[in-house]
Amino acid sequence: MEENNGKLRNKIISIVAIVFFFVAWFIAGELELYDTQFVPGLGTVFAEAWHLIQNGVLLECISISVFRIVVGLSFSIVVGIPLGYLLGGFSPKFAAFIKPLLKNLSLVNCFTLIPVFILLFGIGEGSKMGIIFWVLVFPVMFATIQGVEQIDPAIINAARSMGAGKIKIFFDIALPAAATPVFAGVKSAASLGFLVLLSAETVGAKSGLGWLVFNSHANYNVPRLFVGILAVALFGFVFTAVIELAQKRIIVWKEES
Amino acid sequence: MGNVVTLNGETAQVRDEIVVKDLNLFYKTRRKKGKDAEPHEALRDVNLAVKEGEFLSVVGPSGCGKSTLLYILAGLNKKTSGEVIIGDKQVNGPSQDRGIIMQAYALFPWRSIIKNVEFGLEVKGTPRKQRREIAQSFIDLVGLSGYENKYPYELSGGMKQRIAIARALAYDPDVLLMDEPFAAVDEQTRSFLHEELLNIWEKTHKTIVFVTHSIDEAVFLSDRVAVMTPGPGTIKEIVDINLPRPRHADLKTTEEFGHFRTKVWQLLQSKTDRAVAIEAGNNREIVNEPQDMVI
Ligand SMILES: Nc1ncnc2c1ncn2[C@@H]1O[C@H](COP(=O)(O)OP(=O)(O)OP(=O)(O)O)[C@@H](O)[C@H]1O
Ligand SMILES: [Mg+2]
């Protein structure tokens, strides 16, 4: 109960701080309390945002970025988690053998791979999502391997002693028993993916939030630059909130047997 | 086969539920740097027979191989040589004719209490509705009605162990294997759980093999107590506990109880030279070899 109260209080304090920050920014901008050439007032930024909403640019940028990261992350989950379970669960010896190779592969700088991805997937969306996939699949897979390796052997033994076969143990024991570390892996992969997405969009893209920021900067459109930055921040916030919500929905228990 | 005198004075034949013959087990080990691997002998020529419906405890110094023996009975550990027969069948792996209860509860944290108890029935293929009913009846049996939809983390240690017992009973195994199940609960709860376990045993007629460190616990619960030697473990002697049943906690204060307790204690004290040598120093480093099939 007290813990909950503390959490609520912290939440209120941070909301108040954010509101205060924006109000201060707005007032300072309106009253021209500082040089608004480099940091425009919030009023100006909102006016620009309204403009970009009306001509559809902002929505298009956001939706294309969402699309890219959702597809890239989904692919890395769909590939990384089963692969991690297979490597960690069914053949730990093989996993120990192949892990250094995978670690090295994961360290290959994704931007040096852009030409390869363009060759493989063409110049369009494929290569961008390919990069995101490439960067994210490894952390997801490693987290899964680790999660499976960490499963309490007593729990596996309990299931085996009740006659459970390999398939039942895989789906009913290994899958949920490793869920917490797997989710942690997905979460850190998601925030990493977010960074990669933004930088990938500044390199070769003509759309997306990363492009909006980069292009505004190149054209000295400072209010638009700030709309981009705020949109990125908001996007990141919503993105993590969605993943955390999913985690809360799926993991309703506490790790303690 | 053994002979048992029933209440009306007749002699009835009781069959052996568990037979262990010349059982040996070596663990793979790795010595400290630079030295060769040398198997570690955990059990040597273990011979044991447990009668149907019997309550047998196994006591012995730490590391003598009690858990190892129990895990072999459960089919979770592979023996090196010898024979293990349960019911009429050779033990080749785990099966639903046995249930194991460990000190560390090993409940599934992501399953509600009732779903934990249902696990063995799911494996068995029992239809959902029946599963619920059976699981509920065993939750009632261990006195935890009302906790069906809680999760393990919401239960105390003693409650968790009762659920672990319910989970092992639910799919109706003939043999219950218990590895220091009450070592982690407080004295009062333990005493309460002892009587409860005896009640359940009398109701369900299971054959129980109960591993423990506690001489009192072994004597209080058992028909017979098997005393093991320090590692490599062998059965040193089996003590018949001729105490009347049903037993209640006040039995522990009686002279007869003290007699059996002293007997078991003395058997545990007399050490072999080998045991003294082992206690003096053992530089073996024991590792868990990664197995090819973890799940
Ligand atoms: N997986 C393993 N690999 C190698 N050696 C093992 C393994 N498990 C146990 N041992 C060794 O085998 C011997 C018997 O162990 P076991 O766990 O059966 O003893 P125990 O009688 O149950 O001890 P305790 O009373 O402390 O629980 C010990 O010397 C132990 O170190
Ligand atoms: Mg043990």
Side-chain angles (χ1 to χ4, degrees):
Chain A
M1 215 37 223
E2 271 193 11
E3 198 184 317
N4 278 344
N5 277 339
K7 269 188 197 157
L8 190 66
R9 193 179 331 121
N10 284 346
K11 224 172 216 170
I12 290 173
I13 288 173
S14 61
I15 288 173
V16 167
I18 290 168
V19 170
F20 178 78
F21 171 76
F22 282 111
V23 168
W25 184 5
F26 179 77
I27 291 171
E30 291 304 296
L31 301 177
E32 305 242 1
L33 294 179
Y34 65 92
D35 185 354
T36 52
Q37 188 187 342
F38 298 113
V39 181
L42 191 60
T44 321
V45 175
F46 274 164
E48 178 65 19
W50 182 237
H51 173 66
L52 288 175
I53 288 168
Q54 276 190 325
N55 65 15
V57 172
L58 189 61
L59 196 68
E60 199 198 317
C61 285
I62 290 177
S63 50
I64 193 77
S65 287
V66 169
F67 176 70
R68 281 169 187 156
I69 193 156
V70 166
V71 173
L73 182 63
S74 304
F75 267 100
S76 66
I77 288 172
V78 166
V79 174
I81 291 182
L83 222 58
Y85 272 107
L86 284 177
L87 284 175
F90 281 103
S91 87
K93 273 182 186 161
F94 182 62
F97 169 73
I98 202 165
K99 245 191 207 165
L101 176 70
L102 294 174
K103 276 255 148 64
N104 280 330
L105 273 181
S106 71
L107 290 176
V108 173
N109 187 316
C110 59
F111 293 102
T112 62
L113 287 173
I114 289 179
V116 180
F117 282 113
I118 288 176
L119 273 178
L120 282 176
F121 301 110
I123 197 154
E125 290 306 313
S127 59
K128 279 170 212 78
M129 292 184 295
I131 293 168
I132 295 175
F133 165 76
W134 179 263
V135 177
L136 302 196
V137 73
F138 291 105
V140 169
M141 187 174 64
F142 289 139
T144 310
I145 291 177
Q146 211 187 354
V148 175
E149 284 173 350
Q150 276 173 355
I151 297 175
D152 181 359
I155 281 187
I156 305 273
N157 275 338
R160 283 179 60 207
S161 77
M162 288 184 269
K166 294 216 163 63
I167 293 175
K168 172 109 179 144
I169 288 181
F170 181 80
F171 285 104
D172 279 0
I173 307 293
L175 226 50
T180 303
V182 167
F183 243 105
V186 169
K187 233 154 79 177
S188 66
S191 52
L192 179 66
F194 191 62
L195 289 178
V196 173
L197 169 78
L198 292 178
S199 13
E201 282 175 345
T202 63
V203 179
K206 289 184 181 58
S207 57
L209 284 174
W211 168 82
L212 182 71
V213 171
F214 184 73
N215 180 272
S216 309
H217 172 69
N219 293 317
Y220 295 106
N221 189 337
V222 181
R224 212 176 72 183
L225 175 69
F226 273 83
V227 173
I229 290 170
L230 286 184
V232 166
L234 190 68
F235 179 35
F237 177 78
V238 172
F239 195 59
T240 15
V242 167
I243 290 177
E244 249 154 45
L245 192 72
Q247 181 177 24
K248 260 191 203 143
R249 275 293 170 86
I250 295 174
I251 302 177
V252 295
W253 64 89
K254 276 189 193 155
E255 286 305 319
E256 181 196 320
S257 61
Chain B
M1 296 281 169
N3 292 328
V4 162
V5 181
T6 60
L7 286 179
N8 48 17
E10 290 166 28
T11 337
Q13 287 237 310
V14 178
R15 81 184 180 118
D16 287 333
E17 178 76 43
I18 303 174
V19 177
V20 177
K21 274 189 215 151
D22 300 327
L23 174 68
N24 287 280
L25 182 125
F26 289 84
Y27 277 117
K28 285 181 194 164
T29 64
R30 197 190 303 149
R31 279 194 167 226
K32 286 198 174 132
K33 266 181 199 160
K35 292 191 182 157
D36 290 341
E38 176 195 297
H40 172 58
E41 186 178 18
L43 293 175
R44 178 187 291 177
D45 295 333
V46 172
N47 284 287
L48 182 69
V50 187
K51 290 192 245 352
E52 193 177 357
E54 187 178 24
F55 198 126
L56 178 118
S57 286
V58 179
V59 296
S62 185
C64 74
K66 303 182 293 296
S67 301
T68 304
L69 175 61
L70 210 68
Y71 274 59
I72 291 175
L73 294 180
L76 294 169
N77 266 1
K78 283 208 166 62
K79 60 183 187 277
T80 309
S81 69
E83 231 181 329
V84 179
I85 297 164
I86 291 184
D88 306 310
K89 284 176 282 205
Q90 293 273 354
V91 168
N92 288 318
S95 149
Q96 289 210 331
D97 58 2
R98 282 153 275 152
I100 190 163
I101 292 150
M102 298 171 253
Q103 183 186 334
Y105 322 124
L107 296 178
F108 307 130
W110 56 89
R111 282 179 170 240
S112 64
I113 295 308
I114 193 152
K115 293 284 286 174
N116 261 281
V117 179
E118 278 180 41
F119 188 88
L121 297 163
E122 287 172 20
V123 175
K124 215 176 192 175
T126 312
R128 176 184 298 264
K129 195 162 161 275
Q130 248 176 301
R131 229 158 56 201
R132 277 277 128 133
E133 283 165 10
I134 297 172
Q136 184 66 54
S137 70
F138 281 98
I139 291 173
D140 297 345
L141 180 69
V142 298
L144 285 178
S145 324
Y147 286 87
E148 296 80 12
N149 297 314
K150 299 237 184 273
Y151 282 85
Y153 75 92
E154 297 172 284
L155 269 57
S156 73
M159 289 171 168
K160 282 184 204 168
Q161 200 53 289
R162 279 144 78 187
I163 292 303
I165 292 171
R167 184 177 66 175
L169 286 170
Y171 58 91
D172 198 23
D174 303 323
V175 175
L176 224 47
L177 306 165
M178 308 181 84
D179 190 5
E180 302 188 38
F182 306 138
V185 299
D186 65 271
E187 192 69 47
Q188 231 173 330
T189 311
R190 189 179 313 147
S191 179
F192 167 73
L193 288 173
H194 284 160
E195 291 197 30
E196 198 172 68
L197 177 62
L198 288 181
N199 273 332
I200 292 171
W201 173 63
E202 270 148 30
K203 273 186 210 156
T204 56
H205 311 289
K206 304 287 174 197
T207 305
I208 299 185
V209 179
F210 190 100
V211 164
T212 176
H213 267 130
S214 158
I215 300 173
D216 274 34
E217 185 170 69
V219 172
F220 180 73
L221 294 172
S222 316
D223 295 325
R224 291 190 298 154
V225 176
V227 181
M228 287 181 75
T229 60
T234 54
I235 306 281
K236 183 178 204 170
E237 196 166 326
I238 299 183
V239 183
D240 279 300
I241 309 294
N242 293 316
L243 290 170
R245 291 190 190 271
R247 295 177 187 169
H248 299 290
D250 47 15
L251 178 72
K252 289 177 193 165
T253 58
T254 64
E255 213 172 295
E256 293 92 332
F257 186 87
H259 162 74
F260 288 112
R261 184 217 269 148
T262 310
K263 192 163 178 190
V264 174
W265 186 80
Q266 278 167 345
L267 282 166
L268 281 169
Q269 289 312 300
S270 50
K271 283 178 191 160
T272 58
D273 293 347
R274 198 190 142 76
V276 175
I278 285 175
E279 263 177 27
N282 187 346
N283 70 338
R284 216 179 258 113
E285 186 196 1
I286 287 145
V287 289
N288 269 316
E289 288 281 313
Q291 290 167 332
D292 256 324
M293 289 287 181
V294 173
I295 56 177

